[in-house]
Amino acid sequence: MKQFNKWRNGSTIAEKKSVNGVQGDMDALQWTDRLRQEIYEAHLEWENANRFFDYALGKDQIDYAIYAIITAEKRYDSLLRTAKRACKSWSEWRAVQ
């Protein structure tokens, strides 16, 4: 989670710098590609959490699976909202896979 927050805070700074016309640590295309990759990984994490829930046995595993699903959904949703705010039209994202 620390790594995600570090990336997210850094990307916000890079995004603001690129919006103001100042070269940041990464350009807009690199930032977009990085965000696209994060969205893809978050979606896989969400799918895996759902799969784990299907095979969970016992109260502890079920509780953990529910927690994992909620966490993965929130991360995925947050990244999608960030992507939608960052671009003018969603079609610019070429199909997030």
Side-chain angles (χ1 to χ4, degrees), residues 15-83:
E15 179 185 2
K16 288 179 184 175
K17 287 182 180 178
S18 67
V19 168
N20 294 331
V22 178
Q23 185 71 14
D25 290 341
M26 60 174 82
D27 67 0
L29 183 59
Q30 289 173 330
W31 183 84
T32 302
D33 288 340
R34 176 88 183 261
L35 183 58
R36 186 178 289 115
Q37 183 62 33
E38 287 288 327
I39 291 170
Y40 175 75
E41 290 172 7
H43 187 261
L44 288 179
E45 184 180 327
W46 176 69
E47 287 179 335
N48 287 335
N50 281 307
R51 196 172 300 114
F52 181 76
F53 180 78
D54 291 339
Y55 295 101
L57 300 172
K59 183 181 179 224
D60 291 338
Q61 283 188 358
I62 291 172
D63 287 345
Y64 175 80
I66 291 169
Y67 173 76
I69 290 171
I70 291 169
T71 303
E73 283 177 351
K74 286 184 179 190
R75 178 174 180 243
Y76 183 59
D77 183 52
S78 173
L79 289 169
L80 286 177
R81 278 187 275 123
T82 301

Side-chain angles (χ1 to χ4, degrees), residues 6-21:
K6 182 180 176 184
W7 175 81
R8 185 173 178 178
N9 292 338
S11 67
T12 304
I13 294 168
E15 179 185 2
K16 288 179 184 175
K17 287 182 180 178
S18 67
V19 168
N20 294 331

